[in-house]
Amino acid sequence: MNPTRSRARALALLPLAAALLLGGCVLGHTVHPSPAAERAASQERAGQLFQRLKPLCGQAFAGRIVADTPRSADDPFGGKALVMHVRGCEADTIRIPFHVGQDRSRTWVFTRHPGGLRFKHDHRHRDGSEDELTMYGGELKPRGEGERYEFPADPESRALFRRLGREVSVPNVWAVEIDDQRFVYELARPGRLFRVEFDLTRPLPAPPPPWGG
């Protein structure tokens, strides 16, 4: 082959090779959303959840356990009436007591803020004082699937779990799902899944206030 022609062909192929190399780098690069885009996504998702919850304000609904693995021998939920009450509805805070039989110690708290939405568990004693394990939860993941909203444990909650010797809860992810017929509360971590499903089509009479409410 003519050396001059070979060099010319090689030179002609250089732009193509460079384009392929550049394309490979671009394709292999993970593009992360900017903080502003993440905040906007979180705010949008927070607004969607609030729009779903607001029409339920003042109403109570019965629930049933649809997943509980592994079930503990001292299961506090087994055989108990489960009732959620969308009791406190403010502009940026929705409080939902979760009654387990006569135990009115639990309240779910959803709070909107400039960064998105925070979900916490407010646990109280019968006299209204705070339990040592209280106000744990996390921030809403900005990206989600439809009517499912996930809240991985935040740094403060993970520190609380470690301080109280509950390391098993460090990887907790809470989630809620809501549509026209049901509201689902979920706790998941490796080796553990707990889900309660509430029937939104049949409101109940409002239960007594939560402890400390």
Side-chain angles (χ1 to χ4, degrees), residues 99-156:
H99 300 302
V100 180
Q102 299 302 311
D103 185 341
R104 307 200 303 271
S105 64
R106 303 169 177 85
T107 298
W108 301 323
V109 185
F110 297 90
T111 306
R112 283 197 300 188
H113 56 86
L117 180 67
R118 183 177 300 116
F119 175 46
K120 292 288 186 176
H121 299 71
D122 185 353
H123 285 195
R124 304 280 177 145
H125 296 291
R126 190 180 296 272
D127 63 2
S129 61
E130 290 188 347
D131 192 277
E132 64 175 353
L133 181 63
T134 189
M135 299 312 292
Y136 59 86
E139 297 288 334
L140 174 65
K141 289 175 61 175
R143 311 294 172 183
E145 300 179 3
E147 302 298 343
R148 179 179 172 86
Y149 304 84
E150 295 186 349
F151 303 83
D154 58 26
E156 293 80 10

Side-chain angles (χ1 to χ4, degrees), residues 142-179:
R143 311 294 172 183
E145 300 179 3
E147 302 298 343
R148 179 179 172 86
Y149 304 84
E150 295 186 349
F151 303 83
D154 58 26
E156 293 80 10
S157 300
R158 296 196 296 268
L160 174 65
F161 294 145
R162 291 189 176 102
R163 187 170 70 251
L164 297 179
R166 296 174 177 263
E167 286 82 359
V168 67
S169 298
V170 168
N172 278 5
V173 177
W174 298 274
V176 297
E177 300 172 12
I178 184 169
D179 56 32

Side-chain angles (χ1 to χ4, degrees), residues 12 56 82 184 213:
L56 305 179
L82 307 178
V184 175

Side-chain angles (χ1 to χ4, degrees), residues 2 4 15 19 33 36 42 49 69 80 88 94 109 130 140 150 162 178:
N2 189 315
T4 301
S42 291
L49 181 54
T69 56
K80 305 288 182 62
I94 294 178
V109 185
E130 290 188 347
L140 174 65
E150 295 186 349
R162 291 189 176 102
I178 184 169

Side-chain angles (χ1 to χ4, degrees), residues 60-77:
F61 307 95
R64 63 187 181 93
I65 297 174
V66 295
D68 187 9
T69 56
R71 181 170 296 181
S72 61
D74 57 346
D75 181 10
F77 303 97

